Amino acid sequence: DVKVTQSSRYLVKRTGEKVFLECVQDMDHENMFWYRQDPGLGLRLIYFSYDVKMKEKGDIPEGYSVSREKKERFSLILESASTNQTSMYLCASSPRHGQPQHFGDGTRLSIL
Amino acid sequence: DAKTTQPNSMESNEEEPVHLPCNHSTISGTDYIHWYRQLPSQGPEYVIHGLTSNVNNRMASLAIAEDRKSSTLILHRATLRDAAVYYCPHYGGSQGNLIFGKGTKLSVKP
């Protein structure tokens, strides 16, 4: 089975901090994704990557950046955390575009 | 962009079959139909996907209408652990990625 592991289930940070969320997949998948999920808004795509060192903006990239130095690892960075970035963050991977995505269990991030 | 519509919520009794509908009237001919579910406090979980023919796996069955404008996820015997939000995402956005709507919240009564 595919395993997508997110480094933390719960995280509390302060406004203005630089925050790193890490995601690792063990199936040699080409594509990796970062979403955030908020009540009533569903899942919204922040960034995705289709290869090492490649990244594409999703629907809500403002305030975020990403890094993919190795195929198995995709990091989401909040450059200067703000309270409106309090959310559930979900990482996913898929073998190729259009193929099923496999999700991690999420990181519930609170910015105080 | 293609879009999917699902009922907001459905109820089922334990050990009865459940048919979860999804309309995707603007789907393109080459887009797969995907279904995912999200259990409380977990990330979404892939359930099944197909293109034109009906599909079965250990979790569920997928019935695809002949014109592909709708599909139905079938849980043959609902259990309490099947209580979740079920999504049939569509392809869209600037890069043609999967877009997840609000899904159908399935409640299963003992």
Side-chain angles (χ1 to χ4, degrees):
Chain A
D1 275 354
V2 177
K3 190 151 180 69
V4 178
T5 303
Q6 295 185 229
S7 52
S8 306
R9 289 298 304 271
Y10 301 93
L11 205 54
V12 180
K13 295 291 182 181
R14 297 209 171 274
T15 304
E17 279 193 73
K18 191 168 186 176
V19 181
F20 293 85
L21 302 183
E22 307 287 345
C23 175
V24 177
Q25 50 98 359
D26 66 356
M27 282 301 290
D28 203 36
H29 284 175
E30 299 290 333
N31 295 344
M32 295 188 75
F33 307 82
W34 274 106
Y35 296 86
R36 64 177 282 178
Q37 184 173 31
D38 301 287
L41 296 177
L43 274 75
R44 293 181 291 167
L45 182 65
I46 304 171
Y47 267 98
F48 73 99
S49 167
Y50 52 89
D51 201 353
V52 175
K53 296 191 189 295
M54 306 300 287
K55 61 185 180 185
E56 292 285 343
K57 293 180 180 178
D59 299 315
I60 49 164
E62 297 78 19
Y64 303 95
S65 63
V66 289
S67 171
R68 193 161 179 208
E69 295 296 319
K70 293 186 178 181
K71 194 173 186 179
E72 66 270 20
R73 186 180 297 269
F74 192 35
S75 303
L76 179 70
I77 304 152
L78 285 66
E79 298 291 344
S80 177
S82 64
T83 54
N84 63 11
Q85 292 178 309
T86 290
S87 186
M88 169 71 87
Y89 289 87
L90 290 156
C91 176
S93 72
S94 73
R96 290 174 304 281
H97 180 70
Q99 292 294 301
Q101 295 184 20
H102 300 266
F103 285 81
D105 283 335
T107 296
R108 189 166 291 282
L109 175 65
S110 297
I111 306 296
L112 304 178
Chain B
D1 281 348
K3 201 169 181 182
T4 58
T5 54
Q6 301 177 255
N8 289 332
S9 62
M10 290 183 64
E11 272 191 1
S12 171
N13 293 318
E14 198 175 10
E15 299 196 359
E16 289 186 357
V18 183
H19 291 231
L20 295 154
C22 179
N23 288 322
H24 26 78
S25 57
T26 58
I27 191 171
S28 81
T30 56
D31 286 344
Y32 278 83
I33 295 161
H34 292 252
W35 280 85
Y36 292 75
R37 72 178 186 180
Q38 187 170 20
L39 301 167
S41 302
Q42 294 186 24
E45 173 187 28
Y46 165 75
V47 177
I48 201 167
H49 78 296
L51 189 60
T52 55
S53 304
N54 294 344
V55 185
N56 299 297
N57 66 20
R58 62 178 176 84
M59 290 180 71
S61 295
L62 175 61
I64 300 173
E66 203 168 323
D67 62 6
R68 289 184 17 98
K69 293 186 185 301
S70 66
S71 64
T72 302
L73 181 71
I74 302 165
L75 307 178
H76 294 285
R77 289 182 66 207
T79 69
L80 298 178
R81 290 182 298 175
D82 291 323
V85 178
Y86 287 79
Y87 299 96
C88 63
H90 66 275
Y91 291 94
S94 58
Q95 302 293 334
N97 287 297
L98 286 177
I99 296 179
F100 292 77
K102 297 178 185 177
T104 297
K105 184 173 183 178
L106 175 66
S107 302
V108 180
K109 295 184 288 185

